[in-house]
Amino acid sequence: MDSQIVIIFGGSGDLTKRKLVPALYKLYERGVLKEGFAILGVGRSNFSDLQFREGLISGGDYGDKRFFDNLFYLSMDSANPDEYSLLKDRLNEFKSGNYLFYLATPPSMYEIIPQNLKIAGLNREKANVDGVKSGSRRVIVEKPFGYDLESAVRMNSVLKSVFYEEQIFRIDHYLGKETVQNILALRFANSIFEPIWNRHYIDRVEITAVENMGIENRGGYYDGVGALRDMVQNHLIQLLALVAMEPPVLYAKQEFRDEVAKVYKSLKPLSNDDIPNRIVRGQYIAGEKRGEMAKGYRNERGVDEASHTETFLAMRVNISNWRWDGVPFYIRTGKQMPTKVTEIIIHFKQTPHRLFSCRDDCPEQNQLIIRIQPNEGMVLKFDVKVPGSGFNVQQVPMDFSYDKLAQLTDGDAYSKLLEECLNGDNTLFTRSDAVEASWRYFDPILKFWKENPNTPLYGYPAGSWGPLESEKIIEVEGKWTNPCKNLTNTNLYCEL
Ligand code: BG6
């Protein structure tokens, strides 16, 4: 790989400091970033290179400070096409002409920046014209990709008028997580799961991604975006796609992404009657968390005090295809919950006939728990005979913990995806047809909420498991599984 210049629009922002620079540092440490690489932060704030570096150093644990000699900053208004001559001049100071543009800006800029890059000739790979060096051109677009279906379609069309699909990397950092990628290994590197991975053996699937933090200092971004756009339309539906997809013919960008897109296209559309019955939204109110009072969402900085933005969402999704017809997928996400956990539970069907009795810990259906984070691993729950007289059975776990193989650290997802992008491989990035298919499914929900402002938005105290009403949508099949922090310790009073 030749050396590359990573240009981060939104360079002075939170994402750059918290995720992107630490991820790039990991690539530097591993020698992935070749001699001559540079990282150019672009933003409106007025920083010198030195101030930019100093601001970032304080945000992480960096052993080798020489890395920061490769970081630079350009203060410009990226909404103004006239200022792109400044960018060109700055880029020409670097030897390499390979540019990776990272759009880490508010989504309102995702259409403007690419158009301005085009006006400046910075999208062209080959031409040595307009004072632009030749080299590779790639663009990473952060989520949320679009605000609704219409804006996603518009963004795709703008991006495609500037770059080829091959050059566009719509990032969803969940796809960079080892444990998320492992869903593919679990399903397609083993022969024992695939025969039972369907409506004949699986009763329901539960996907939970909850967090024990509020929105921190992101009120300005989050308010008006909400859980559906922030977590569900991308991360959660991506997890669902990996669980539900057909085996790709090859693990390659075309074949893998075809199967993901097929899942999105198979999501059973929701009618206006379905929406209030299958979806529960909530917003956190003040509550006690670990002995301390946490404020309510409407009192967070940058949030409208009459905000109707949801910070919790639980819903039932159905897939119309031969494999999954009739199997509900329950998905749930929320801020200010008791713990931070992402996990997928495959609930297998009950045995057709109960032969044995049980004592206190009565067996439920077999379960396969895929823990995405923390305490990464898997648990298979099955029934055994209780030793002793009589014939009672109880459920026991068989577990695998990822740390037996390697320590998985936070931030790896971004470095993994950045590396893939630097290599020009967009297998793990969302393709335009997939993002639109996913929006086609979620868009009616947003419209329904807009047209029916009285749709309940339940308050739930910070530190709780969300509105009790969320139990209603799952009650036919069971209850939500509220995970413990520790994967294998699943008793009622476990640590959160
Ligand atoms: C981001 C969302 O995409 O994902 C955040 O914008 C959320 O609101 C985060 O906190 C969760 O990511 P992770 O990797 O911590 O589960």
Coordinates of all heavy atoms in Angstrom, one line a residue, residues 33 80 84 119 170-171 195 226-227 281 305 323 331 358 417:
L33 N 0.4 2.3 8.3 CA 0.6 3.6 7.7 C 2.0 3.8 7.2 O 3.0 3.7 8.0 CB 0.2 4.8 8.7 CG -1.2 4.7 9.2 CD1 -1.4 5.9 10.2 CD2 -2.2 4.8 8.1
N80 N -17.8 26.4 1.8 CA -17.5 27.4 0.8 C -16.5 26.9 -0.3 O -15.3 26.7 -0.1 CB -16.9 28.6 1.5 CG -16.6 29.7 0.5 OD1 -16.7 29.6 -0.7 ND2 -16.1 30.9 1.1
Y84 N -11.6 25.9 -1.2 CA -10.9 24.6 -1.5 C -9.5 24.8 -2.1 O -8.7 23.8 -2.2 CB -11.8 23.6 -2.3 CG -12.8 23.0 -1.4 CD1 -13.8 23.7 -0.8 CD2 -12.7 21.6 -1.1 CE1 -14.7 23.1 0.1 CE2 -13.6 21.0 -0.2 CZ -14.6 21.8 0.4 OH -15.5 21.2 1.2
I119 N -15.9 20.3 -7.5 CA -15.6 21.6 -8.1 C -14.1 21.9 -8.1 O -13.5 22.4 -9.1 CB -16.4 22.7 -7.4 CG1 -17.9 22.5 -7.5 CG2 -16.0 24.1 -7.9 CD1 -18.7 23.5 -6.6
R170 N -19.4 3.8 3.2 CA -20.4 4.2 4.2 C -20.1 3.4 5.4 O -20.3 2.2 5.4 CB -21.8 4.0 3.7 CG -22.2 4.8 2.5 CD -23.5 4.4 1.9 NE -23.7 4.9 0.5 CZ -23.2 4.4 -0.6 NH1 -22.4 3.3 -0.5 NH2 -23.3 5.0 -1.7
I171 N -19.6 4.1 6.5 CA -19.1 3.3 7.6 C -20.2 3.0 8.6 O -21.1 3.8 8.9 CB -17.9 4.1 8.2 CG1 -17.1 3.2 9.2 CG2 -18.4 5.3 9.0 CD1 -15.7 3.8 9.5
P195 N -28.0 -26.1 9.6 CA -29.2 -26.9 9.4 C -30.4 -26.5 10.3 O -31.5 -26.7 10.0 CB -28.8 -28.3 9.7 CG -27.3 -28.3 9.6 CD -26.8 -27.0 10.0
G226 N -32.3 10.9 17.4 CA -32.9 9.9 18.2 C -32.4 8.5 17.9 O -31.6 8.2 17.0
A227 N -32.9 7.5 18.7 CA -32.4 6.2 18.7 C -32.6 5.4 17.4 O -31.8 4.7 17.0 CB -33.1 5.4 19.9
R281 N -41.4 3.5 22.0 CA -40.3 4.4 22.1 C -40.4 5.1 23.5 O -41.4 5.2 24.1 CB -40.3 5.5 21.0 CG -41.6 6.2 21.0 CD -41.6 7.3 19.8 NE -42.8 8.1 19.9 CZ -43.0 9.3 19.3 NH1 -42.0 9.8 18.7 NH2 -44.1 9.9 19.5
E305 N -36.1 21.6 25.7 CA -36.7 21.2 26.9 C -38.1 20.6 26.7 O -38.7 20.0 27.6 CB -36.8 22.3 27.9 CG -37.4 23.6 27.4 CD -37.2 24.8 28.4 OE1 -36.2 24.8 29.2 OE2 -38.1 25.6 28.4
R323 N -36.7 -18.7 4.8 CA -36.0 -19.1 6.0 C -36.7 -18.6 7.3 O -36.7 -19.2 8.3 CB -34.5 -18.6 6.0 CG -33.7 -19.1 7.1 CD -32.3 -18.4 7.1 NE -31.4 -18.9 6.0 CZ -30.5 -19.8 6.2 NH1 -30.3 -20.4 7.4 NH2 -29.7 -20.1 5.2
I331 N -35.8 -6.2 18.6 CA -34.6 -5.4 18.7 C -34.9 -4.3 19.7 O -36.0 -3.8 19.8 CB -34.0 -4.9 17.4 CG1 -35.0 -4.1 16.6 CG2 -33.6 -6.0 16.5 CD1 -34.5 -3.7 15.3
C358 N -39.1 -30.5 36.4 CA -38.0 -29.8 36.8 C -38.2 -29.2 38.2 O -39.3 -29.1 38.7 CB -37.7 -28.7 35.8 SG -39.1 -27.6 35.7
L417 N -11.7 -0.9 10.2 CA -12.4 -0.4 9.0 C -11.5 0.6 8.3 O -11.5 0.6 7.0 CB -13.7 0.2 9.4 CG -14.7 -0.8 9.9 CD1 -16.0 -0.2 10.4 CD2 -15.1 -1.9 8.9

